[in-house]
């Protein structure tokens, strides 16, 4: 290959990203360590789905948004300009942001939102990471339509730990509302009760033939019999965990959250919002058209949710396009077995350095709450259980979003009044977490409200036990930590019992989002070696709005390599 060829291929990939969501494996934009520039314009665009036309917020008018292609070790520079009337920020979900906390993106945590007419340049390096991640808006519920893939290829000369696939495809699972996303959050919070189910589930923005007016709004992958394909599956849905399956085909998981895993095959997988999974699929069935289905995993009790699966097609060359399609079997909506099957199979391919010694052992309960009704109009605004208002918490503390940037405040030692540093290492009173919430009346399920953070010394080896509670309902919560991946060393059902829990300290998966089992627990470990303010929250947006979040402040260590540099000059103001 002549030496200008990689640059040409990069240019081609860049030009083609507007029209396609996949690149053939041979077109990798492989270069040496370099810088990738992207220009993101936050724009409103009119789109028609489900026979209704409405304005949605997009990046560059695209839905799903543009793909960020890079290579391990690259610097990525994205200029984000906000041309909408709303505030906006972009979060690079799963990017570890080593010494670049300023560019992480959660509104009011690491930055003030980018206001109408303003821009902010995100600038970070992809250190020791490769695979599939996602970016999404991190202000209100804008990420309902503002999301896209991040693809990080291995370095030059490094290959995948599996045979190169014939082609790669991005599969982004989403939820689509006919209501405006920001209004949706406001209406839910104002009502005090559960949120509204999505109007459709989507695969790459398309609901497929099960939905009204969507017979042609369907995503298709064209395959050649006998070849193997890499699917980069991303769950960008707002409020629902999802199952994914392809009729009659096995999915071989080879990567989760941009870390290779020991390959293992399943018929269907569960992927939580914020998680990414790469799977290999061999087109080893008779020539035909096979459905790909995405449907809800709903582990909570008594909630209404959309049940209609989104459908796409996995279509062999030589099939009549409008012919019969083999239908895909999803698990039942509470199919815990299929969830455990995937969790049990996830093992890191490379033995990661799991911290064996622990400096801080934390125990966080995660779950829902019911607050007392303070409204004079309970019918309108206290639609939670027993006439209360729904909330959510960690260690019974509901996080209140500040209206300044925590990181900026912390960095300039201006803590006063905006946040506290007293987030507790364990709940104030232990009880039977899973079964024990006596009854769901507002009196015994109130949380404490506050903007509380926990300070960690640089280099602290942390073990964090996440325990689901049964208040209101037990539920699988996808907990996401910004700025780090963590080793998922254990999980189980019921209350965590240190004498019985079996931990995997050899090859646990290394993830950024963990679906804590319904009515169960998970144990994660990480070394706090990235200074900054790092948000941790449930990636079901409604739970985050209700307060299921907190922030770690990781202090600087010694010298420049352990110290967060000063903020960029264009950091937005509140
Ligand atoms: Cu993908 Cu704070 O989230």
């Amino acid at each position: 290959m002549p030496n200008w060829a990689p640059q040409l291929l990069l240019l081609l990939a860049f030009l083609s990203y507007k029209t396609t969501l996949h690149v053939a494996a041979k077109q990798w934009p492989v270069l040496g360590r370099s810088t990738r520039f992207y220009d993101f314009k936050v724009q409103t665009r009119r789109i028609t789905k489900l026979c209704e036309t409405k304005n949605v917020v997009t990046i560059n008018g695209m839905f799903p948004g543009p793909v960020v292609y890079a290579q391990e070790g690259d610097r990525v520079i994205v200029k984000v300009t906000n041309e909408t009337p709303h505030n906006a920020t972009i979060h690079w979900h799963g990017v570890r942001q080593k010494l670049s906390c300023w560019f992480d993106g959660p509104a009011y945590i690491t930055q003030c939102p980018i206001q109408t007419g303003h821009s902010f340049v995100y600038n970070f390096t992809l250190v020791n990471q490769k695979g599939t991640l996602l970016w999404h808006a991190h202000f209100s519920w804008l990420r309902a339509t503002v999301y896209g893939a991040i693809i990080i290829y291995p370095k030059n000369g490094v290959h995948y730990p599996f045979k190169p696939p014939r082609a790669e495809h991005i599969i982004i699972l989403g939820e689509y509302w006919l209501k405006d996303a920001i209004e949706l959050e406001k209406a839910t919070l104002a009502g005090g009760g559960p949120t509204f189910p999505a109007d459709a589930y989507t695969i790459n923005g398309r609901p497929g033939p099960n939905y009204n007016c969507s017979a042609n709004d369907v995503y298709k992958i064209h395959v050649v019999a006998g070849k193997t394909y890499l699917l980069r599956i991303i769950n960008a849905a707002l409020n629902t965990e999802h199952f994914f399956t392809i009729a009659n085909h096995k999915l071989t998981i080879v990567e989760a959250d941009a870390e290779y895993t020991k390959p293992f095959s399943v018929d269907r997988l569960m992927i939580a919002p914020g998680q990414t999974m790469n799977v290999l699929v061999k087109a080893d069935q008779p020539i035909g058209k096979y459905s790909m289905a995405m449907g809800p995993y709903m582990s909570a009790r008594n909630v209404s949710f959309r049940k209609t699966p989104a459908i796409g097609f996995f279509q062999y060359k030589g099939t009549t396009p409008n012919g019969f399609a083999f239908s895909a079997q999803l698990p039942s909506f509470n199919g815990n077995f299929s969830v455990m099957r995937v969790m049990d199979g996830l093992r890191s391919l490379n033995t990661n350095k799991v911290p064996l010694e622990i400096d801080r052992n934390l125990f966080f309960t995660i779950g829902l709450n019911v607050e007392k009704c303070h409204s004079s109009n309970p019918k309108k605004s206290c639609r939670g259980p027993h006439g209360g208002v729904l909330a959510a918490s960690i260690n019974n503390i509901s996080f209140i979003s500040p209206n300044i940037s925590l990181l900026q405040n912390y960095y300039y030692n201006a803590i006063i009044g905006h946040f506290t540093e007293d987030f507790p290492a364990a709940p104030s009173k232990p009880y039977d977490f899973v079964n024990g919430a006596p009854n769901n009346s507002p009196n015994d399920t109130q949380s404490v409200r506050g903007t509380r953070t926990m300070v960690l010394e640089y280099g602290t080896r942390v073990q964090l036990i996440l325990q689901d509670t049964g208040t209101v309902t037990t539920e699988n919560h996808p907990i996401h930590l910004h700025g780090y991946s963590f080793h998922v060393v254990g999980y189980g059902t019921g209350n965590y019992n240190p004498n019985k829990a079996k931990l995997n300290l050899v090859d646990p998966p290394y993830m950024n989002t963990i679906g804590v089992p319904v009515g169960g627990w998970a144990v994660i470990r990480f070394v706090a070696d990235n200074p900054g303010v790092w948000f941790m929250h449930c990636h079901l947006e409604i739970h985050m709005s209700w307060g299921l979040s907190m922030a770690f402040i990781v202090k600087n260590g010694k010298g420049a390599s352990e110290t967060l540099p000063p903020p960029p000059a264009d950091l937005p103001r509140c």
Side-chain angles (χ1 to χ4, degrees):
M1 205 153 62
N3 63 4
W4 45 264
Q7 278 85 349
L8 180 67
L9 291 177
L10 177 66
L11 180 69
L12 289 175
F14 180 78
L15 292 175
S16 68
Y17 85 79
K18 277 191 164 13
T19 50
T20 173
L21 275 174
H22 75 272
V23 277
K26 290 186 196 89
Q27 288 176 6
W28 283 11
V30 274
L31 290 180
R33 190 192 148 155
S34 56
T35 304
R36 314 281 174 188
F37 294 96
Y38 285 89
D39 200 10
F40 274 26
K41 299 224 164 25
V42 190
Q43 291 172 335
T44 309
R45 184 190 140 195
R46 283 183 84 66
I47 64 171
T48 303
K49 276 203 190 283
L50 311 168
C51 276
E52 279 192 42
T53 301
K54 64 161 209 164
N55 281 329
V56 298
V57 180
T58 65
I59 297 299
N60 302 345
M62 297 166 65
F63 174 65
V67 181
V68 170
Y69 290 104
Q71 199 177 4
E72 183 178 3
D74 283 350
R75 174 174 294 277
V76 175
I77 295 183
V78 188
K79 181 177 184 194
V80 178
T81 306
N82 185 3
E83 299 178 353
T84 71
H86 316 285
N87 280 336
T89 70
I90 303 290
H91 167 51
W92 316 93
H93 180 116
V95 171
R96 290 200 282 265
Q97 299 289 6
K98 191 76 180 173
L99 300 182
S100 53
C101 188
W102 298 110
F103 304 106
D104 188 37
Y108 305 114
I109 306 296
T110 62
Q111 68 166 98
C112 296
I114 308 168
Q115 296 175 20
T116 308
H118 291 248
S119 333
F120 179 48
V121 178
Y122 291 88
N123 180 341
F124 51 88
T125 302
L126 299 162
V127 187
N128 285 330
Q129 294 191 272
K130 56 199 157 295
T132 308
L133 293 170
L134 71 154
W135 56 263
H136 61 76
H138 212 305
F139 173 81
S140 180
W141 288 11
L142 269 193
R143 78 175 175 87
T145 53
V146 182
Y147 59 77
I150 303 176
I151 309 289
I152 312 164
Y153 294 105
K155 289 181 186 164
N156 283 351
V158 180
H159 299 288
Y160 290 146
F162 41 84
K163 215 172 126 224
R166 161 83 174 222
E168 306 186 4
H169 298 271
I170 296 168
I171 303 249
I172 313 186
L173 311 181
E175 281 177 295
Y176 189 79
W177 275 269
L178 293 168
K179 211 176 167 73
D180 173 83
I182 291 181
E183 290 309 313
L184 187 69
E185 184 195 29
K186 281 195 192 140
T188 303
L189 295 181
T195 191
F196 309 90
D199 293 294
Y201 297 131
T202 57
I203 297 176
N204 289 338
R206 298 165 179 274
N210 285 345
Y211 284 92
N212 214 5
C213 308
S214 306
N216 295 318
D217 198 4
V218 49
Y219 180 71
K220 291 179 193 148
I221 294 177
H222 295 279
V223 300
V224 173
K227 304 293 179 197
T228 298
Y229 296 84
L230 180 70
L231 308 190
R232 298 174 177 271
I233 307 171
I234 297 170
N235 191 347
L238 214 52
N239 287 327
T240 322
E241 301 181 311
H242 283 283
F243 291 114
F244 177 82
T245 187
I246 304 179
N248 303 4
H249 288 75
K250 292 262 180 235
L251 310 171
T252 302
I253 300 174
V254 291
E255 183 203 300
D257 286 9
E259 289 290 329
Y260 294 130
T261 58
K262 299 196 168 103
F264 78 105
S265 298
V266 291
D267 293 319
R268 41 193 75 93
L269 53 83
M270 192 285 273
I271 183 164
Q275 290 185 321
T276 52
M277 260 177 218
N278 283 5
V279 303
L280 293 170
V281 184
K282 184 161 192 210
D284 57 1
Q285 294 299 306
I287 286 181
K289 188 163 135 187
Y290 296 84
S291 299
M292 300 190 282
M294 161 216 186
Y297 167 49
M298 185 48 75
S299 57
R301 292 184 301 268
N302 303 330
V303 272
S304 60
F305 59 95
R306 178 137 322 264
K307 299 192 176 68
T308 317
I311 299 289
F313 294 120
F314 189 79
Q315 196 166 313
Y316 285 61
K317 196 172 171 200
T319 329
T320 30
N322 297 320
F324 156 88
F326 290 93
S327 67
Q329 292 305 313
L330 287 163
S332 73
F333 68 88
N334 57 2
N336 297 331
F337 176 78
S338 303
V339 178
M340 278 304 174
R341 168 105 177 79
V342 172
M343 277 190 93
D344 291 346
L346 288 179
R347 299 265 189 256
S348 269
L349 179 66
N350 309 308
T351 319
N352 277 305
K353 284 196 206 99
V354 184
L356 299 178
E357 316 258 294
I358 294 302
D359 302 309
R360 293 206 64 183
N361 196 11
L362 308 174
F363 188 97
F364 288 3
T365 59
I366 51 175
L368 305 187
N369 298 83
V370 185
E371 309 295 332
K372 282 182 199 157
C373 179
H374 293 298
S375 164
S376 54
N377 191 346
K379 279 223 172 76
K380 247 183 116 188
S381 45
C382 301
R383 294 197 187 118
H386 305 282
V389 174
L390 278 170
S393 61
I394 302 181
N395 279 348
N396 216 39
I397 295 158
S398 294
F399 186 82
I400 302 302
S401 178
N403 49 18
I404 46 88
S405 141
L406 288 187
L407 178 61
Q408 233 175 334
N409 259 253
Y410 171 74
Y411 191 84
Y412 292 108
N413 285 320
I415 299 173
I416 321 301
H418 293 298
F419 67 98
T420 57
E421 298 184 342
D422 57 349
F423 193 90
S428 60
K429 43 172 196 253
Y431 62 97
D432 178 350
F433 300 110
V434 174
N435 307 297
N439 58 56
N440 294 329
S441 76
N443 287 328
D444 52 28
T445 58
Q446 293 263 123
S447 58
V448 177
R449 293 155 63 85
T451 309
R452 298 205 194 179
T453 67
M454 174 178 281
V455 179
L456 298 172
E457 293 297 327
Y458 184 92
T460 306
R461 293 163 297 181
V462 179
Q463 171 168 283
L464 169 55
I465 298 147
L466 295 159
Q467 172 72 56
D468 184 28
T469 74
T471 311
V472 184
T473 175
T474 52
E475 182 166 6
N476 183 304
H477 293 278
I479 302 296
H480 171 51
L481 173 61
H482 286 228
Y484 291 88
S485 294
F486 45 73
H487 307 276
V488 183
V489 297
Y491 55 87
T493 49
N495 289 309
Y496 173 74
N497 177 342
N499 302 319
K500 290 203 183 135
K502 284 197 194 65
L503 301 185
N504 172 7
L505 301 174
V506 180
D507 59 356
Y510 194 45
M511 306 182 79
N512 63 57
T513 306
I514 173 69
V516 178
V518 50
W521 50 271
V523 184
I524 64 175
R525 290 190 181 187
F526 64 97
V527 180
D529 58 1
N530 190 11
V533 179
W534 303 109
F535 207 25
M536 191 178 80
H537 60 88
C538 180
H539 217 275
L540 302 175
E541 212 75 350
I542 179 61
H543 292 178
M544 188 165 78
S545 303
W546 282 338
L548 212 168
S549 38
M550 58 82 65
F552 287 109
I553 294 177
V554 178
K555 288 199 192 165
N556 286 330
K558 295 189 195 78
S561 67
E562 300 180 358
T563 300
L564 180 68
D570 61 343
L571 194 70
R573 289 161 197 273
C574 281

